[in-house]
Amino acid sequence: MKRPLRALAAAGLLAAGAIVAVALGGTASADTQICEQYGSTTIGGKYVVQNNRWGTSAQQCINVTSTGFSITRQDGVGSTSGAPVSYPSIFVGCHYTNCSPGTNLPVQVKNISSAPASISYNYVSGAIYDAAYDIWLDPSPKKDGVNQMEIMIWLNRQGPIQPIGSPVGNASIAGRTWEVWRGSNGSNNVISYVAPSAIPSMSFDAMAFINDTKNRGAITSDWYLTSIQAGFEPWQGGVGLAVNSFSQSVNTGGTTPTTPPPATTPPPGNAACSVKYTTNVWNNGFTADVTVTNTGSSTVNGWTLTYNLPSGQTITGSWNATVTQSGSAVTARNLSYNGTLSPGASTSFGYQASMTGSFSVPSSFSLNGAACTRV
């Protein structure tokens, strides 16, 4: 999302009545150089790549490939206590009236069944920057101007920079632990998920972060997802930073999982699955991230994980699976995109729960009726 209304306002650099414009480009087939301040082009018939040099008059150029882009020139210098100088990025959805080809955004959160994502970055040393996966939401189906909610996923942070606001705790999402920051820049609210160390590539469901933001009361299911973007916020330097590849879809419709075939139960004592159960606990609740691995020799086509929660624990929301609870019994079923587990493959889902009394974890898990080992 264009950053003048985000960080320039926060840094006191946005003049009253300033006009933000987007220069629309063509379609990149061979490598395309973009040096225009807000120049953009489309790739893959689905995504928009933008230079988005909003915070400096100094030159910045990007080289757009068929799958992403790299920064080839970045002359701006920003104060590490203030705002970055730009946000060169690739996106799907609508950004200041510039909509990616064939996008189904904006769409209400309650109508999204999944948002599978994949990103691969190239990092450099000697520069000050963050690598940010940005998710924008608004109460209205907004296609222009600033949205009210920004989710930032910081996969890498280099130098003495920090997200907007202050730390509010940790979250376990997409099989990883994130430091969570929350604040406002005066124009929109921001929740940032900061990785403790650099993540060069990641595949995940963006809905996991949207659901966590919803569970924190920052948005509701009636809000609209307007765009999802991936790129860099450089403060100083950054030549060579690249998005090698980017894939983002937003699937709408029901969340009914695929029907699993009859399960073949392995002989007792020969579990064909393992479960890792990771939690983040506070005084009256917790989040759980559950990683299921197929340790057998046959592919699992459709899975159902069952277990019992300790007394006093009640699930209030979930992501990456359809999770239901009856008394203490929990049933988690795959969604349409993560039902197949080849031998050695893993998938993760998670949920948030309320809690009374002391915290403890489930004692056992079964996948399609077969007991799993705990790891």
Side-chain angles (χ1 to χ4, degrees), residues 14 20 49 67 98 156 175 228 269 316 356 369:
L14 182 61
V20 180
V49 180
T67 60
N98 188 5
N156 192 4
I228 300 179
T316 58
T356 58

Side-chain angles (χ1 to χ4, degrees), residues 23-367:
L24 300 179
T27 299
S29 50
D31 288 9
T32 300
Q33 289 284 333
I34 299 178
C35 296
E36 294 82 6
Q37 184 173 10
Y38 300 126
S40 69
T41 189
T42 61
I43 63 173
K46 183 177 181 180
Y47 306 114
V48 175
V49 180
Q50 57 181 355
N51 196 29
N52 202 4
R53 176 175 53 84
W54 57 265
T56 179
S57 59
Q59 185 73 285
Q60 174 179 282
C61 298
I62 60 175
N63 179 65
V64 183
T65 68
S66 61
T67 60
F69 71 90
S70 62
I71 300 176
T72 56
R73 180 173 179 177
Q74 205 294 99
D75 298 339
V77 177
S79 169
T80 56
S81 61
V85 299
S86 62
Y87 184 56
S89 51
I90 180 171
F91 73 87
V92 63
C94 293
H95 168 89
Y96 281 77
T97 72
N98 188 5
C99 294
S100 59
T103 184
N104 58 348
L105 303 182
V107 65
Q108 282 183 295
V109 170
K110 65 184 178 184
N111 293 326
I112 302 174
S113 57
S114 63
S118 179
I119 182 72
S120 172
Y121 286 110
N122 182 70
Y123 297 137
V124 299
S125 59
I128 298 175
Y129 65 92
D130 67 65
Y133 210 95
D134 254 21
I135 303 170
W136 287 89
L137 303 109
D138 196 81
S140 64
K142 198 174 183 67
K143 295 184 178 181
D144 62 337
V146 68
N147 288 182
Q148 291 190 24
M149 187 70 228
E150 178 184 17
I151 301 172
M152 297 194 75
I153 308 170
W154 284 32
L155 283 83
N156 192 4
R157 169 171 55 170
Q158 296 296 315
I161 55 175
Q162 66 182 42
I164 286 173
S166 57
V168 295
N170 295 303
S172 179
I173 303 175
R176 300 175 183 271
T177 299
W178 309 82
E179 184 180 50
V180 183
W181 291 60
R182 190 165 182 175
S184 172
N185 58 38
S187 297
N188 58 270
N189 296 318
V190 185
I191 291 181
S192 301
Y193 299 86
V194 183
S197 59
I199 301 173
S201 62
M202 181 170 151
S203 296
F204 61 102
D205 187 348
M207 282 301 296
F209 292 92
I210 294 174
N211 284 330
D212 186 79
T213 297
K214 182 180 67 174
N215 291 336
R216 295 174 187 272
I219 64 169
T220 72
S221 294
D222 291 327
W223 281 47
Y224 290 81
L225 171 63
T226 63
S227 71
I228 300 179
Q229 314 176 1
F232 302 95
E233 289 186 317
W235 272 258
Q236 298 173 21
V239 171
L241 291 171
V243 170
N244 300 319
S245 62
F246 170 81
S247 175
Q248 179 66 66
S249 299
V250 178
N251 299 322
T252 59
T255 58
T256 302
T258 56
T259 301
T264 300
T265 304
N270 293 310
C273 53
S274 66
V275 172
K276 182 179 180 181
Y277 192 81
T278 307
T279 60
N280 177 42
V281 184
W282 55 94
N283 60 350
N284 60 354
F286 67 96
T287 58
D289 187 84
V290 186
T291 300
V292 182
T293 301
N294 177 8
T295 59
S297 58
S298 301
T299 297
V300 174
N301 293 303
W303 54 264
T304 299
L305 187 73
T306 55
Y307 54 97
N308 291 313
L309 282 180
S311 177
Q313 298 182 7
T314 303
I315 294 174
T316 58
S318 63
W319 50 90
N320 286 357
T322 299
V323 183
T324 57
Q325 181 178 1
S326 177
S328 63
V330 174
T331 302
R333 293 185 175 89
N334 66 273
L335 298 181
S336 59
Y337 60 88
N338 63 356
T340 300
L341 294 176
S342 57
S346 299
T347 189
S348 295
F349 69 91
Y351 52 84
Q352 182 164 327
S354 60
M355 178 182 67
T356 58
S358 59
F359 176 77
S360 59
V361 301
S363 59
S364 61
F365 299 84
S366 294
L367 183 71

